[in-house]
Amino acid sequence: MKVMIAYDGSRNAKLALAQTVSLFRCNAPTLVLVGVAENPRDATDANEDLFQEEYEELKAALKEGADFATREEFDVDWILAEGDPRKMILRATQKHQPDVLVIARHSNKPDGGIIAQSLSYFVDELDYMTFGSVSSFLARRVECPLLILPSP
């Protein structure tokens, strides 16, 4: 069995990885972590520097996630792609043909005070009404079962 996980090192991605390990442990699957660094929209030096910084952070996050899964005694592989996350994750499923694709709902949980928490609550309520753009895109196009894990 092969389980592919869209992984960006975010809090929700880490929770999704931990849940996946827990859910699929009895099947002893190979886990494939997929991270996508978005290309800069223009080729200015500042954007290229930001892209390289994001690329290195994502690469470190993928290694950290793979190390976690390895410690949990899973066979692990990881992929770092560049481009549109929706299209690159879809392409990864077409190439590697996992038995299931796992993605976490995306959110940026603030650490701020009451105003930030209120805004976060409002955004979460709106977010519950619809999937994110990556989730929505993949739900319509991916050719394997898709598991979208909610954020706690």
Side-chain angles (χ1 to χ4, degrees):
M1 178 176 205
K2 188 184 300 182
V3 176
M4 183 174 282
I5 305 169
Y7 192 82
D8 63 2
S10 67
R11 174 185 170 271
N12 286 352
K14 290 178 181 176
L15 291 171
L17 176 59
Q19 287 179 302
T20 301
V21 164
S22 178
L23 285 170
F24 293 99
R25 180 179 300 282
C26 62
N27 297 334
T30 297
L31 299 181
V32 180
L33 306 180
V34 179
V36 181
E38 288 189 69
N39 288 332
R41 293 176 192 244
D42 62 57
T44 63
D45 288 343
N47 280 343
E48 187 60 31
D49 290 345
L50 287 173
F51 173 74
Q52 285 303 321
E53 183 179 321
E54 177 187 348
Y55 185 89
E56 293 303 322
E57 288 176 6
L58 185 55
K59 187 175 180 180
L62 285 165
K63 287 181 179 178
E64 181 183 13
D67 288 346
F68 167 77
T70 300
R71 285 193 304 275
E72 294 290 326
E73 301 178 359
F74 283 80
D75 291 329
V76 184
D77 195 8
W78 57 274
I79 300 165
L80 178 52
E82 298 176 23
D84 182 333
R86 301 169 306 163
K87 293 176 183 174
M88 298 313 292
I89 294 170
L90 178 62
R91 187 174 298 165
T93 62
Q94 292 166 340
K95 182 176 180 182
H96 297 278
Q97 300 186 343
D99 295 295
V100 62
L101 172 64
V102 177
I103 60 175
R105 291 184 59 235
H106 183 74
S107 70
N108 296 315
K109 197 167 188 131
D111 297 328
I114 187 74
I115 294 172
Q117 290 174 7
S118 297
L119 286 172
S120 177
Y121 177 76
F122 177 72
V123 170
D124 280 350
E125 287 302 312
L126 290 174
D127 201 26
Y128 277 118
M129 294 180 202
T130 182
F131 292 124
S133 63
V134 175
S135 304
S136 179
F137 180 87
L138 292 171
R140 290 191 306 268
R141 291 176 176 82
V142 75
E143 296 175 2
C144 65
L146 175 64
L147 177 60
I148 302 172
L149 296 173
S151 56

